[in-house]
Amino acid sequence: MRLAAARGFTLLEMLVVITIMGLAAALIVPSLSLPARAPIPPLIEFLQQQHTQAQQSGKAVRVFWRGNTLFTEPGEATFDLPPDAYLNLSRPAKTGYLDKQLITIFYPNGSAIAADFKLMQKPPGLLERWAYQVVINPFHGGIEFKTP
């Protein structure tokens, strides 16, 4: 009488499968724990476009702020801030020259005039808060933003 062949997995097969599952878990778990990247605010995109425009055109692009609008000279690019928002400038100093405030100048070589400001918001019925801080590096014109 023949004995039925043993059914099941060998110890070696089990160790191989467990090792593969461990490696897969080691690759997946760190990516699940990373914080989600914040979307780039429209104001930052506007400033990045002006930085690129200066480099491509070979001419300096000045960015000013008046009322609730940022605008450029030369050019006609504008950006409207939300109705409940305004800028709180740290750099450059407030001038109010010709009823407009200089935010920065982007130069064709990639550099810029340093800027540091916060976009402040005061939704109706709520306390004033800052939405994000913008810092423009004077050496390479890089634009960084930080959220609270």
Side-chain angles (χ1 to χ4, degrees):
M1 171 192 294
R2 284 183 82 186
L3 292 173
R7 295 184 185 251
F9 299 104
T10 65
L11 179 60
L12 182 60
E13 291 170 330
M14 293 295 286
L15 288 173
V16 168
V17 169
I18 290 172
T19 302
I20 291 171
M21 290 173 59
L23 289 173
L27 294 172
I28 292 172
V29 169
S31 65
L32 296 176
S33 64
L34 292 175
R37 288 184 55 131
I40 297 176
L43 172 59
I44 303 301
E45 289 179 350
F46 173 77
L47 292 171
Q48 289 171 340
Q49 289 170 354
Q50 303 320 308
H51 186 228
T52 302
Q53 176 66 27
Q55 292 172 323
Q56 290 176 349
S57 70
K59 297 179 182 174
V61 175
R62 294 176 294 282
V63 180
F64 293 97
W65 168 42
R66 179 187 304 136
N68 233 23
T69 303
L70 271 70
F71 59 96
T72 62
E73 290 179 1
E76 299 179 6
T78 62
F79 177 80
D80 292 323
L81 296 172
D84 63 344
Y86 67 94
L87 301 181
N88 184 355
L89 295 176
S90 298
R91 272 190 316 198
K94 292 182 182 178
T95 60
Y97 175 70
L98 295 176
D99 194 32
K100 59 186 177 184
Q101 171 64 48
L102 176 70
I103 298 295
T104 190
I105 301 174
F106 293 112
Y107 295 105
N109 67 0
S111 64
I113 289 190
D116 185 354
F117 59 89
K118 292 181 181 177
L119 179 76
M120 306 296 291
Q121 289 186 312
K122 183 164 182 0
L126 298 175
L127 295 175
E128 178 180 77
R129 66 176 184 84
W130 61 283
Y132 49 88
Q133 179 179 8
V134 179
V135 178
I136 300 176
N137 186 303
F139 300 111
H140 54 73
I143 303 163
E144 301 173 13
F145 73 98
K146 304 171 193 169
T147 56

